[in-house]
mmCIF file of all heavy atoms in Angstrom:
data_model
loop_
_atom_site.group_PDB
_atom_site.id
_atom_site.type_symbol
_atom_site.label_atom_id
_atom_site.label_comp_id
_atom_site.label_asym_id
_atom_site.label_seq_id
_atom_site.Cartn_x
_atom_site.Cartn_y
_atom_site.Cartn_z
ATOM 1 N N ILE A 1502 -2.572 40.875 -62.085
ATOM 2 C CA ILE A 1502 -2.991 41.802 -62.975
ATOM 3 C C ILE A 1502 -1.888 42.985 -62.904
ATOM 4 O O ILE A 1502 -1.811 43.628 -61.821
ATOM 5 C CB ILE A 1502 -4.320 42.526 -62.710
ATOM 6 C CG1 ILE A 1502 -5.370 41.356 -62.585
ATOM 7 C CG2 ILE A 1502 -4.729 43.534 -63.686
ATOM 8 C CD1 ILE A 1502 -6.663 41.776 -61.851
ATOM 9 N N ALA A 1505 -3.003 49.015 -62.530
ATOM 10 C CA ALA A 1505 -3.712 49.400 -61.427
ATOM 11 C C ALA A 1505 -5.170 49.004 -61.463
ATOM 12 O O ALA A 1505 -5.724 48.658 -62.436
ATOM 13 C CB ALA A 1505 -3.623 50.952 -61.349
ATOM 14 N N GLU A 1506 -5.844 49.029 -60.246
ATOM 15 C CA GLU A 1506 -7.204 48.713 -60.184
ATOM 16 C C GLU A 1506 -8.081 49.785 -60.799
ATOM 17 O O GLU A 1506 -7.768 50.955 -60.963
ATOM 18 C CB GLU A 1506 -7.646 48.643 -58.750
ATOM 19 C CG GLU A 1506 -7.014 47.569 -57.881
ATOM 20 C CD GLU A 1506 -7.562 47.548 -56.466
ATOM 21 O OE1 GLU A 1506 -8.678 47.959 -56.188
ATOM 22 O OE2 GLU A 1506 -6.790 46.969 -55.585
ATOM 23 N N GLY A 1507 -9.215 49.267 -61.432
ATOM 24 C CA GLY A 1507 -10.194 50.229 -61.936
ATOM 25 C C GLY A 1507 -10.084 50.517 -63.453
ATOM 26 O O GLY A 1507 -11.021 51.008 -64.036
ATOM 27 N N GLY A 1508 -9.047 50.080 -64.059
ATOM 28 C CA GLY A 1508 -8.891 50.272 -65.552
ATOM 29 C C GLY A 1508 -9.545 49.238 -66.410
ATOM 30 O O GLY A 1508 -10.084 48.234 -65.782
ATOM 31 N N GLY A 1509 -9.535 49.330 -67.626
ATOM 32 C CA GLY A 1509 -10.215 48.343 -68.498
ATOM 33 C C GLY A 1509 -9.640 46.904 -68.408
ATOM 34 O O GLY A 1509 -10.451 45.996 -68.324
ATOM 35 N N THR A 1510 -8.333 46.776 -68.291
ATOM 36 C CA THR A 1510 -7.720 45.428 -68.019
ATOM 37 C C THR A 1510 -8.082 44.962 -66.745
ATOM 38 O O THR A 1510 -8.425 43.746 -66.697
ATOM 39 C CB THR A 1510 -6.245 45.594 -68.216
ATOM 40 O OG1 THR A 1510 -5.835 46.022 -69.546
ATOM 41 C CG2 THR A 1510 -5.492 44.165 -68.019
ATOM 42 N N ASP A 1511 -8.056 45.737 -65.670
ATOM 43 C CA ASP A 1511 -8.505 45.209 -64.386
ATOM 44 C C ASP A 1511 -9.923 44.749 -64.332
ATOM 45 O O ASP A 1511 -10.135 43.672 -63.842
ATOM 46 C CB ASP A 1511 -8.207 46.349 -63.374
ATOM 47 C CG ASP A 1511 -8.617 45.895 -61.938
ATOM 48 O OD1 ASP A 1511 -7.890 44.932 -61.490
ATOM 49 O OD2 ASP A 1511 -9.529 46.441 -61.364
ATOM 50 N N THR A 1512 -10.757 45.483 -64.940
ATOM 51 C CA THR A 1512 -12.247 45.077 -65.051
ATOM 52 C C THR A 1512 -12.393 43.839 -65.778
ATOM 53 O O THR A 1512 -13.090 42.889 -65.355
ATOM 54 C CB THR A 1512 -13.012 46.250 -65.721
ATOM 55 O OG1 THR A 1512 -12.868 47.524 -64.912
ATOM 56 C CG2 THR A 1512 -14.370 45.868 -65.815
ATOM 57 N N TRP A 1513 -11.646 43.697 -67.002
ATOM 58 C CA TRP A 1513 -11.745 42.505 -67.739
ATOM 59 C C TRP A 1513 -11.255 41.282 -66.949
ATOM 60 O O TRP A 1513 -11.910 40.191 -66.958
ATOM 61 C CB TRP A 1513 -10.913 42.690 -68.969
ATOM 62 C CG TRP A 1513 -10.833 41.511 -69.939
ATOM 63 C CD1 TRP A 1513 -11.659 41.203 -70.899
ATOM 64 C CD2 TRP A 1513 -9.846 40.501 -69.911
ATOM 65 N NE1 TRP A 1513 -11.260 40.070 -71.570
ATOM 66 C CE2 TRP A 1513 -10.153 39.579 -70.954
ATOM 67 C CE3 TRP A 1513 -8.696 40.248 -69.150
ATOM 68 C CZ2 TRP A 1513 -9.383 38.451 -71.190
ATOM 69 C CZ3 TRP A 1513 -7.958 39.095 -69.386
ATOM 70 C CH2 TRP A 1513 -8.311 38.205 -70.386
ATOM 71 N N ALA A 1514 -10.071 41.487 -66.331
ATOM 72 C CA ALA A 1514 -9.431 40.356 -65.609
ATOM 73 C C ALA A 1514 -10.311 39.826 -64.520
ATOM 74 O O ALA A 1514 -10.443 38.599 -64.221
ATOM 75 C CB ALA A 1514 -8.002 40.704 -65.072
ATOM 76 N N ARG A 1515 -10.799 40.781 -63.735
ATOM 77 C CA ARG A 1515 -11.686 40.340 -62.594
ATOM 78 C C ARG A 1515 -12.989 39.664 -63.038
ATOM 79 O O ARG A 1515 -13.371 38.602 -62.398
ATOM 80 C CB ARG A 1515 -12.036 41.555 -61.727
ATOM 81 C CG ARG A 1515 -10.782 42.154 -60.896
ATOM 82 C CD ARG A 1515 -11.066 43.523 -60.333
ATOM 83 N NE ARG A 1515 -9.851 43.910 -59.571
ATOM 84 C CZ ARG A 1515 -9.566 43.673 -58.283
ATOM 85 N NH1 ARG A 1515 -10.517 43.001 -57.564
ATOM 86 N NH2 ARG A 1515 -8.426 44.064 -57.737
ATOM 87 N N TYR A 1516 -13.597 40.148 -64.068
ATOM 88 C CA TYR A 1516 -14.775 39.475 -64.587
ATOM 89 C C TYR A 1516 -14.572 38.107 -65.130
ATOM 90 O O TYR A 1516 -15.127 37.151 -64.795
ATOM 91 C CB TYR A 1516 -15.474 40.378 -65.692
ATOM 92 C CG TYR A 1516 -16.752 39.889 -66.076
ATOM 93 C CD1 TYR A 1516 -17.946 40.249 -65.432
ATOM 94 C CD2 TYR A 1516 -16.858 38.978 -67.152
ATOM 95 C CE1 TYR A 1516 -19.192 39.759 -65.779
ATOM 96 C CE2 TYR A 1516 -18.121 38.458 -67.545
ATOM 97 C CZ TYR A 1516 -19.258 38.900 -66.869
ATOM 98 O OH TYR A 1516 -20.510 38.369 -67.210
ATOM 99 N N VAL A 1517 -13.513 38.021 -66.031
ATOM 100 C CA VAL A 1517 -13.253 36.773 -66.627
ATOM 101 C C VAL A 1517 -12.701 35.792 -65.638
ATOM 102 O O VAL A 1517 -13.037 34.473 -65.621
ATOM 103 C CB VAL A 1517 -12.178 36.959 -67.858
ATOM 104 C CG1 VAL A 1517 -11.843 35.620 -68.347
ATOM 105 C CG2 VAL A 1517 -12.837 37.820 -68.924
ATOM 106 N N GLY A 1518 -11.871 36.279 -64.762
ATOM 107 C CA GLY A 1518 -11.262 35.381 -63.692
ATOM 108 C C GLY A 1518 -12.366 34.767 -62.783
ATOM 109 O O GLY A 1518 -12.340 33.608 -62.399
ATOM 110 N N ASN A 1535 -3.301 42.978 -57.903
ATOM 111 C CA ASN A 1535 -2.799 44.105 -58.756
ATOM 112 C C ASN A 1535 -1.353 44.430 -58.357
ATOM 113 O O ASN A 1535 -1.107 44.643 -57.122
ATOM 114 C CB ASN A 1535 -3.713 45.292 -58.636
ATOM 115 C CG ASN A 1535 -5.095 45.095 -59.162
ATOM 116 O OD1 ASN A 1535 -5.909 44.557 -58.544
ATOM 117 N ND2 ASN A 1535 -5.248 45.515 -60.444
ATOM 118 N N LYS A 1745 -5.778 40.985 -75.000
ATOM 119 C CA LYS A 1745 -5.656 40.499 -73.643
ATOM 120 C C LYS A 1745 -5.671 38.958 -73.667
ATOM 121 O O LYS A 1745 -6.267 38.273 -74.395
ATOM 122 C CB LYS A 1745 -6.857 41.004 -72.804
ATOM 123 C CG LYS A 1745 -6.933 42.520 -72.564
ATOM 124 C CD LYS A 1745 -8.155 42.919 -71.794
ATOM 125 C CE LYS A 1745 -8.164 44.433 -71.482
ATOM 126 N NZ LYS A 1745 -8.232 45.166 -72.707
ATOM 127 N N VAL A 1781 -18.306 43.777 -71.183
ATOM 128 C CA VAL A 1781 -16.949 43.648 -70.743
ATOM 129 C C VAL A 1781 -16.010 43.217 -71.888
ATOM 130 O O VAL A 1781 -14.916 43.744 -72.076
ATOM 131 C CB VAL A 1781 -16.761 42.723 -69.536
ATOM 132 C CG1 VAL A 1781 -15.348 42.514 -69.211
ATOM 133 C CG2 VAL A 1781 -17.467 43.283 -68.325
#
Side-chain angles (χ1 to χ4, degrees):
I1502 307 164
E1506 295 182 25
T1510 298
D1511 180 64
T1512 301
W1513 178 89
R1515 288 170 182 269
Y1516 185 90
V1517 173
N1535 293 83
K1745 294 179 175 63
V1781 174

